[in-house]
């Protein structure tokens, strides 16, 4: 099958530098273009100061900026503030209107993919499908740890999409669900915060053996009388699933965009935790067309001891993408 796996970046990757004022949004776009990552994923609440009241002039400026760097806007990350009021949560009607507002802005920006937070109920999304179809925006429910592609909650969205026969509702995988090894950068931070090396090693070994998280948490908290940091490290296993990479191919028809989560890259451009070397061949074999959008989340694990360099980390991930995608190209040359 023909495939076109393209490289992009989520502006979320530069949250550290954006927060500290070390980079502007345009700096991020320029950097992405410089490494050949032409797809730009945005978080309007973070990247557009006037959100949600964005003028046509601002929309035009965004389009001009992206075009000037030879890029394209690929995905719009929506949020749903269900607890905006103190006295009550959002009603279903209010949720639908909030999602419709995002769909409209997504369309105005010329974006055709919108990331839907995993907690948004499938029945609420079903009522939003007519708006998504009218505006030609694909609503992709984020498949984020601790959920996985075949989790019952995720499959409810698949069932709705199938029943409606719509091409505007589906899934958006977050590659964090393919954590094959416990991230070394996580372990190092937990140890700096007070986890004993022998307890940390036990937790890492448990993850390597794919022992159910709750068993490990019990062992650390009760049997080993772990300190609060060690218990917290064990609890992190709840968010460290290793989904079967081969299953992603079966769900390719349901997604248009992928968030390429990562926590660290080695100097030789390899991910020590997430199974990209297994997932990308499955995407290629399945004929998937879309963007792998870098989502660097390692800043919070190292910012206590070193200056965060999101650009270098993202650059290394794209070297890995080039290698893995290039291997496919050579095999099919």
């Amino acid at each position: 099958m023909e495939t076109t796996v393209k490289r992009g970046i989520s502006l979320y990757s530069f949250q550290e530098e954006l927060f500290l004022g070390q980079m502007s949004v345009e700096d991020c776009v320029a950097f992405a273009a410089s490494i050949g990552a032409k797809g730009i994923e945005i978080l309007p609440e973070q990247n557009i100061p006037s959100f949600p009241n964005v003028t046509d002039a601002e929309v035009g400026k965004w389009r001009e900026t992206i075009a000037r760097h030879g890029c394209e806007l690929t995905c719009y990350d929506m949020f749903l503030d269900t607890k905006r009021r103190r006295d009550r949560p959002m009603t279903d009607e209010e949720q639908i209107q909030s999602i419709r507002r995002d769909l409209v802005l997504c369309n105005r920006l010329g974006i055709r993919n919108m990331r839907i937070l995993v907690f948004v109920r499938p029945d609420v999304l079903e009522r939003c499908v007519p708006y998504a179809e009218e505006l030609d925006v694909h609503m992709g429910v984020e498949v984020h740890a601790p959920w996985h592609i075949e989790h019952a909650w995720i499959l409810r969205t698949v069932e709705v999409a199938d029943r409606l026969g719509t091409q505007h509702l589906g899934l958006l995988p977050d590659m964090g669900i393919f954590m094959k090894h416990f991230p070394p950068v996580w372990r190092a931070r937990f140890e700096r915060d007070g986890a004993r090396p022998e307890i940390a090693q036990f937790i890492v070994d448990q993850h390597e053996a794919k022992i159910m998280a709750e068993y490990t948490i019990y062992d650390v908290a009760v049997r080993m009388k772990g300190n609060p940091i060690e218990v917290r490290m064990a609890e992190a296993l709840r968010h460290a699933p290793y989904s079967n990479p081969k299953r992603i191919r079966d769900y390719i028809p349901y997604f248009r965009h992928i968030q390429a989560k990562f926590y660290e890259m080695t100097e030789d451009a390899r991910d020590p935790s997430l199974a990209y070397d297994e997932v990308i061949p499955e995407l290629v074999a399945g004929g998937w067309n879309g963007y792998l959008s870098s989502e660097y989340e390692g800043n919070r694990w190292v910012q206590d001891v070193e200056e965060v360099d999101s650009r270098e980390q993202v650059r290394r991930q794209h070297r890995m993408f080039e290698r893995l995608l290039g291997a496919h190209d050579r095999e099919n040359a």
Side-chain angles (χ1 to χ4, degrees):
M1 297 179 68
E2 289 297 320
T3 183
T4 307
V5 180
K6 296 174 283 189
R7 297 187 293 112
I9 295 178
S10 168
L11 297 187
Y12 190 64
S13 296
F14 308 108
Q15 57 182 288
E16 187 87 7
E17 289 86 351
L18 286 169
F19 176 76
L20 295 174
Q22 297 169 346
M23 293 178 74
S24 66
V25 166
E26 183 157 7
D27 290 336
C28 298
V29 175
F31 170 76
S34 76
I35 63 170
K38 299 303 181 77
I40 306 298
E41 178 178 347
I42 69 169
L43 297 84
E45 293 191 22
Q46 182 186 76
N47 305 139
I48 305 178
S50 62
F51 177 89
N53 303 309
V54 185
T55 67
D56 289 342
E58 289 174 291
V59 169
K61 184 178 179 181
W62 264 94
R63 286 175 172 264
E64 290 169 9
T65 298
I66 297 299
R68 183 164 59 250
H69 293 283
C71 296
E72 63 175 319
L73 291 172
T74 58
C75 189
Y76 174 119
D77 290 3
M78 61 78 76
F79 293 90
L80 191 61
D81 301 321
T82 56
K83 297 181 180 179
R84 184 181 301 168
R85 295 176 53 142
R86 292 186 178 182
D87 58 329
R88 62 170 178 80
M90 269 187 175
T91 66
D92 287 2
E93 289 299 329
E94 288 170 335
Q95 291 184 47
I96 291 165
Q97 289 309 308
S98 180
I99 295 170
R100 184 183 186 188
R101 176 204 68 190
D102 285 311
L103 287 167
V104 168
L105 179 55
C106 189
N107 172 276
R108 289 172 63 203
L109 287 163
I111 305 174
R112 293 295 173 261
N113 297 299
M114 189 164 85
R115 188 287 315 267
I116 304 293
L117 289 169
V118 68
F119 72 80
V120 182
R121 298 198 330 262
D123 57 303
V124 168
L125 291 175
E126 179 171 355
R127 294 176 61 186
C128 294
V129 165
Y131 303 129
E133 291 179 337
E134 176 188 353
L135 296 163
D136 193 19
V137 174
H138 181 267
M139 298 186 296
V141 173
E142 182 180 24
V143 185
H144 191 289
W147 293 269
H148 54 85
I149 290 178
E150 295 184 299
H151 190 284
W153 177 258
I154 300 300
L155 291 180
R156 285 182 59 189
T157 294
V158 172
E159 291 164 1
V160 169
D162 285 349
R163 175 163 47 79
L164 297 180
T166 183
Q167 297 298 309
H168 290 82
L169 175 64
L171 308 177
L172 193 157
D174 178 299
M175 293 292 98
I177 65 176
F178 298 106
M179 187 177 287
K180 191 169 187 177
H181 308 292
F182 194 88
V185 73
W186 288 19
R187 174 180 180 164
R189 180 62 191 264
F190 281 120
E191 289 190 354
R192 289 195 303 273
D193 288 345
R196 289 166 288 179
E198 62 272 21
I199 303 296
Q201 186 62 52
F202 172 77
I203 294 169
V204 169
D205 290 344
Q206 291 287 96
H207 181 264
E208 197 69 18
K210 304 300 176 277
I211 303 298
M212 187 181 296
E214 301 308 316
Y215 289 141
T216 304
I217 295 166
Y218 174 83
D219 280 342
V220 171
V222 179
R223 186 175 63 82
M224 306 174 81
K225 295 180 169 49
N227 65 42
I229 300 300
E230 292 160 349
V231 173
R232 196 179 309 154
M233 180 176 176
E235 289 174 338
L237 295 180
R238 291 173 174 153
H239 296 270
Y242 176 51
S243 301
N244 183 353
K246 293 188 179 300
R247 299 299 292 146
I248 197 171
R249 196 192 306 188
D250 294 333
Y251 292 88
I252 279 177
Y254 297 99
F255 53 86
R256 308 284 184 271
H257 186 80
I258 291 175
Q259 289 181 327
K261 169 80 62 61
F262 74 107
Y263 299 99
E264 61 184 313
M265 295 294 299
T266 61
E267 290 186 6
D268 62 348
R270 297 183 185 279
D271 190 315
S273 310
L274 305 178
Y276 280 100
D277 57 340
E278 298 176 50
V279 175
I280 289 180
E282 292 298 322
L283 293 173
V284 171
W288 185 65
N289 298 299
Y291 276 97
L292 284 170
S293 185
S294 288
E295 189 181 56
Y296 174 55
E297 289 194 16
N299 63 309
R300 67 200 69 172
W301 298 97
V302 300
Q303 61 192 183
D304 63 315
V305 291
E306 63 186 66
E307 185 173 348
V308 174
D309 190 348
S310 305
R311 279 170 285 200
E312 178 58 23
Q313 287 293 309
V314 170
R315 183 183 288 110
R316 292 177 185 180
Q317 191 189 41
H318 282 264
R319 282 168 50 200
M320 177 185 71
F321 289 160
E322 289 177 315
R323 182 181 72 249
L324 294 175
L325 293 170
H328 164 75
D329 293 340
R330 288 190 294 273
E331 289 174 4
N332 292 274

